[in-house]
Amino acid sequence: MIASIPSIPSVITHCAELDQFVERVQDAEWIAVDTEFMRDSTYYAKLCLVQIASADCSACIDVLKLDDHSRLLELLQSPQQIKIFHSARQDIEVLHSEYDLIPQPVFDSQIAASILGLDEQISYAELVSQILDVHLAKTESRTDWSRRPLTSAQINYALDDVRHLGPLYLHLKKQLEDNQRVHWLDEECTGLCNKQQYVVAPEHAWQQVKGVGRLAPEILPITQALAAWRETTAIEKNLPRRWILSDQSILQLAEDKPRSEAHVTMSLRKDSSKSLRYSKVISTLLEQAYKNTHPLHFVDRRLSREQQDLVKRMMKVSRKRSELIGTSASLLANRKSIVSLVLGLESKIMQGWRRQEIGQDLMNMLN
């Protein structure tokens, strides 16, 4: 078993301490990174803590206490140093919204493990247990990371999230090299670090409204207007979308087509009273939306019986292939990507390493 990173339990709250820490780790080949944040009552996650470890030291960087974060950002953006995360997407999203940066280059241990045949959603604790035979406590998993001072239990829990990432990286990297799959992970992490994934476009928010696929095409412009307004308002007020207007209310308003503020209020009451304060604004918005005759196209992902049968056969082929090559079936070709292929839409199955491993075989089944 690879030895765990020796810990130096500490919390950095002053710029001089951060300078000293950065000087100590900036020349390391890699650093392990994790974040703690809160998102219960805001649109944007509130970053509370950034944990970083190298091979010989680790620290919790208290971003709520620090006046200047520039040295931290310098470290996260160093192009020569590998940043190891586990399930990096949310961490990258938070760092992007907080600092407008994407840390690179990234090694995601969850993706690496799934490439090597473990479950695509394997948790950090489970991976540490399986590979390092270390069993992590879960006592602080629901803690409020915005409260100060941090307890020693919170600090140790947070540091545990990076202490073992280095040994995991060394183990997984060797396995990827032995199986000639380093380029698989490179492709996945390159996609993960695509900044466009983290850019909010209010005009496209309607496509994420749950149930929008059942609406008639002629009322989709109404849905677009409501969803775009909700997104913009949620961003401006930094409140969760559902606190502004729920998906169900958007669908209800689009279908009811209320023609007055009173009728808007009646529609809103069918779902929740939280949005009633916006009745007047929504009424004005709808008046403009009703004048929009520009058609919107929503991809209908419903399958015919023949297509459903084909998807099932493709998934069976994919599972057999994943077992043969020893990789996660859902990473290789999940149902969503197979459905996209069957519908003639862009599918990641036909890109990069997946095209070689399974894409062409599935494509042949279409002909």
Side-chain angles (χ1 to χ4, degrees):
M1 186 186 83
I2 300 171
S4 298
I5 299 173
S7 62
I8 307 174
S10 60
V11 179
I12 293 174
T13 58
H14 296 93
C15 290
E17 296 169 339
L18 179 59
D19 288 342
Q20 184 180 19
F21 179 74
V22 171
E23 291 296 327
R24 185 165 176 181
V25 303
Q26 65 183 355
D27 294 325
E29 174 194 349
W30 53 263
I31 54 172
V33 186
D34 189 42
T35 65
E36 304 297 347
F37 53 88
M38 302 297 294
R39 201 178 208 160
D40 295 335
S41 58
T42 57
Y43 179 91
Y44 293 109
K46 181 181 181 180
L47 182 63
C48 301
L49 208 63
V50 177
Q51 307 96 277
I52 294 178
S54 67
D56 62 0
C57 68
S58 57
C60 293
I61 300 171
D62 192 342
V63 295
L64 298 183
K65 291 286 188 178
L66 284 168
D67 296 325
D68 184 357
H69 299 177
S70 58
R71 292 306 302 278
L72 170 62
L73 308 191
E74 174 189 318
L75 186 64
L76 291 174
Q77 294 181 100
S78 172
Q80 289 81 33
Q81 191 172 58
I82 296 167
K83 287 81 178 173
I84 311 164
F85 291 84
H86 184 86
S87 188
R89 187 173 298 277
Q90 280 195 323
D91 297 305
I92 293 175
E93 180 187 353
V94 171
L95 291 169
H96 177 262
S97 66
E98 187 76 21
Y99 300 121
D100 191 28
L101 71 80
I102 303 290
Q104 294 188 65
V106 163
F107 181 103
D108 190 317
S109 59
Q110 186 181 67
I111 298 175
S114 64
I115 287 174
L116 295 167
L118 297 179
D119 185 80
E120 187 181 13
Q121 300 298 321
I122 189 168
S123 70
Y124 173 68
E126 181 61 27
L127 190 59
V128 169
S129 175
Q130 286 193 31
I131 293 179
L132 305 179
D133 195 26
V134 173
H135 305 285
L136 300 177
K138 299 180 181 179
T139 53
E140 302 296 326
S141 58
R142 295 186 177 275
T143 196
D144 182 350
W145 292 104
S146 65
R147 296 186 65 180
R148 297 295 182 270
L150 296 169
T151 66
S152 58
Q154 286 176 309
I155 294 166
N156 282 319
Y157 175 90
L159 286 173
D160 271 345
D161 283 346
V162 290
R163 283 171 176 156
H164 307 290
L165 275 174
L168 286 179
Y169 162 73
L170 295 173
H171 177 91
L172 294 168
K173 179 172 177 284
K174 184 178 186 305
Q175 293 294 311
L176 290 171
E177 291 170 346
D178 290 347
N179 287 276
Q180 298 183 329
R181 294 183 183 178
V182 173
H183 67 287
W184 292 20
L185 182 67
D186 289 343
E187 285 183 25
E188 296 302 300
C189 289
T190 296
L192 187 63
C193 294
N194 181 353
K195 193 171 184 176
Q196 290 306 308
Q197 291 192 77
Y198 308 99
V199 175
V200 175
E203 66 272 19
H204 299 310
W206 67 278
Q207 297 173 352
Q208 306 303 318
V209 173
K210 187 175 181 180
V212 70
R214 66 176 169 82
L215 296 181
E218 60 269 19
I219 61 176
L220 288 180
I222 301 172
T223 310
Q224 182 190 41
L226 290 167
W229 169 81
R230 177 181 71 172
E231 197 77 16
T232 302
T233 304
I235 290 171
E236 289 175 352
K237 296 179 177 294
N238 195 23
L239 292 172
R241 295 179 188 88
R242 67 185 184 279
W243 289 20
I244 306 298
L245 194 63
S246 71
D247 283 0
Q248 182 57 41
S249 289
I250 289 178
L251 299 179
Q252 193 71 59
L253 287 164
E255 291 179 324
D256 289 353
K257 293 185 181 179
R259 296 288 174 172
S260 68
E261 183 180 341
H263 289 153
V264 167
T265 299
M266 289 175 60
S267 291
L268 291 175
R269 280 186 174 143
K270 293 177 183 178
D271 177 44
S272 171
S273 60
K274 286 183 179 180
S275 304
L276 292 178
R277 73 186 75 174
Y278 302 113
S279 291
K280 185 174 182 179
V281 175
I282 292 173
S283 179
T284 303
L285 177 75
L286 289 174
E287 286 180 20
Q288 297 299 316
Y290 296 149
K291 300 174 185 178
N292 182 7
T293 58
H294 181 70
L296 290 174
H297 177 64
F298 184 79
V299 177
D300 187 353
R301 296 181 66 90
R302 289 175 296 183
L303 302 172
S304 66
R305 185 176 297 277
E306 293 78 10
Q307 288 173 325
Q308 291 175 19
D309 291 340
L310 179 56
V311 167
K312 289 178 182 178
R313 294 199 304 274
M314 284 183 168
M315 291 192 70
K316 186 175 181 180
V317 169
S318 177
R319 283 193 295 270
K320 287 184 177 180
R321 179 62 179 166
S322 70
E323 291 171 3
L324 179 65
I325 64 177
T327 197
S328 164
S330 55
L331 179 74
L332 179 64
N334 60 25
R335 190 179 190 279
K336 181 179 179 180
S337 61
I338 289 176
V339 168
S340 294
L341 186 68
V342 169
L343 292 174
L345 306 173
E346 183 180 351
S347 173
K348 63 182 180 181
I349 292 174
M350 297 307 296
Q351 300 169 4
W353 64 270
R354 288 183 179 85
R355 182 185 183 96
Q356 180 179 349
E357 294 297 331
I358 191 67
Q360 198 56 55
D361 289 343
L362 296 184
M363 195 71 180
N364 292 339
M365 295 176 68
L366 289 173
N367 303 323

